[in-house]
Amino acid sequence: MSEEAIVIREIRPEDNPQVEAVIKSCFKDFNLPLTGTAYEDAETPFMYEAYKEDNAVYFVVANEKQVLGGGGIKQLKDYDGNVCELQKMYFSSLVRGKGFGKKLIEKCLEAAKEFGYNKCYLETIPELKAAIHIYETYGFTHRNQPLGNTGHYSCGVWMEKAL
């Protein structure tokens, strides 16, 4: 697969089924819990619609034929403060380890700053050690407890970064 043909762009309505498939395939690839995670979120099949609100954006990593990954920024649910959440960052096995995670994090953090958020929060699963390492290299620090109420009770790693 030619990496030159891969772009990072905002999600389109027609991307929904492919984004959902990428997200759900990652849970199977890494044998992650399906409950208390993005796997069962009501918005996962409707990512385009879920990010149409103010100060929210979802980017996809795609080539001409298919969506290969994605990640987004959105106001942290049930939290009274100017904090966004880096959400639903998942990649197809076809592009893992090729630097798209770093490019997508940079694009998401840039959007978060443009939206005026003061802090970026994320939750992940301990098994995703490579992702956690990348978050740490971008200045995310570990928290002892979650912020807000994402409903992701199976995510035991909570991190944040001042913007």
Side-chain angles (χ1 to χ4, degrees), residues 53-77:
E53 60 194 51
D54 288 344
N55 298 329
V57 65
Y58 193 85
F59 297 106
V60 295
V61 175
N63 62 23
E64 290 291 320
K65 297 180 185 137
Q66 69 187 111
V67 172
L68 301 161
I73 288 289
K74 193 183 218 189
Q75 172 69 38
L76 178 58
K77 185 178 177 192

Side-chain angles (χ1 to χ4, degrees), residues 2 8 14 16-17 19 22 30 53 60-61 89 106 115 117 147-148 162:
S2 169
I8 298 176
E14 62 270 21
N16 278 348
V19 171
V22 167
F30 292 100
E53 60 194 51
V60 295
V61 175
M89 185 169 285
E106 289 169 9
F115 291 144
Y117 289 112
L147 281 179

Side-chain angles (χ1 to χ4, degrees), residues 118-134:
N118 296 328
K119 189 183 290 184
C120 186
Y121 170 78
L122 66 85
E123 297 177 336
T124 190
I125 297 174
E127 291 86 346
L128 299 178
K129 292 182 184 354
I132 293 166
H133 175 71
I134 292 169

Side-chain angles (χ1 to χ4, degrees), residues 7-155:
V7 298
I8 298 176
R9 61 168 171 78
E10 287 191 33
I11 192 170
R12 300 174 186 152
E14 62 270 21
D15 295 332
N16 278 348
Q18 290 184 37
V19 171
E20 179 185 16
V22 167
I23 291 171
K24 290 188 171 182
S25 72
C26 289
F27 284 83
K28 292 182 170 82
D29 290 351
F30 292 100
N31 196 26
L32 302 174
L34 305 184
T35 59
T37 62
Y39 189 92
E40 68 176 6
D41 282 356
E43 70 182 20
T44 297
F46 308 102
M47 295 296 285
Y48 174 80
E49 293 79 3
Y51 286 82
K52 291 308 296 174
E53 60 194 51
D54 288 344
N55 298 329
V57 65
Y58 193 85
F59 297 106
V60 295
V61 175
N63 62 23
E64 290 291 320
K65 297 180 185 137
Q66 69 187 111
V67 172
L68 301 161
I73 288 289
K74 193 183 218 189
Q75 172 69 38
L76 178 58
K77 185 178 177 192
D78 294 337
Y79 186 77
D80 187 23
N82 198 18
V83 176
C84 65
E85 184 182 9
L86 179 62
Q87 297 182 328
K88 295 190 175 63
M89 185 169 285
Y90 296 97
F91 297 93
S92 159
S93 60
L94 299 172
V95 293
R96 283 186 210 135
K98 297 187 180 206
F100 291 104
K102 292 176 182 175
K103 290 177 185 173
L104 195 55
I105 289 170
E106 289 169 9
K107 197 151 181 74
C108 286
L109 292 176
E110 184 179 301
K113 289 176 188 172
E114 287 174 13
F115 291 144
Y117 289 112
N118 296 328
K119 189 183 290 184
C120 186
Y121 170 78
L122 66 85
E123 297 177 336
T124 190
I125 297 174
E127 291 86 346
L128 299 178
K129 292 182 184 354
I132 293 166
H133 175 71
I134 292 169
Y135 298 139
E136 289 168 343
T137 64
Y138 277 89
F140 282 87
T141 57
H142 291 264
R143 294 181 46 83
N144 294 323
Q145 60 187 32
L147 281 179
N149 180 23
T150 66
H152 294 163
Y153 57 82
S154 291
C155 293

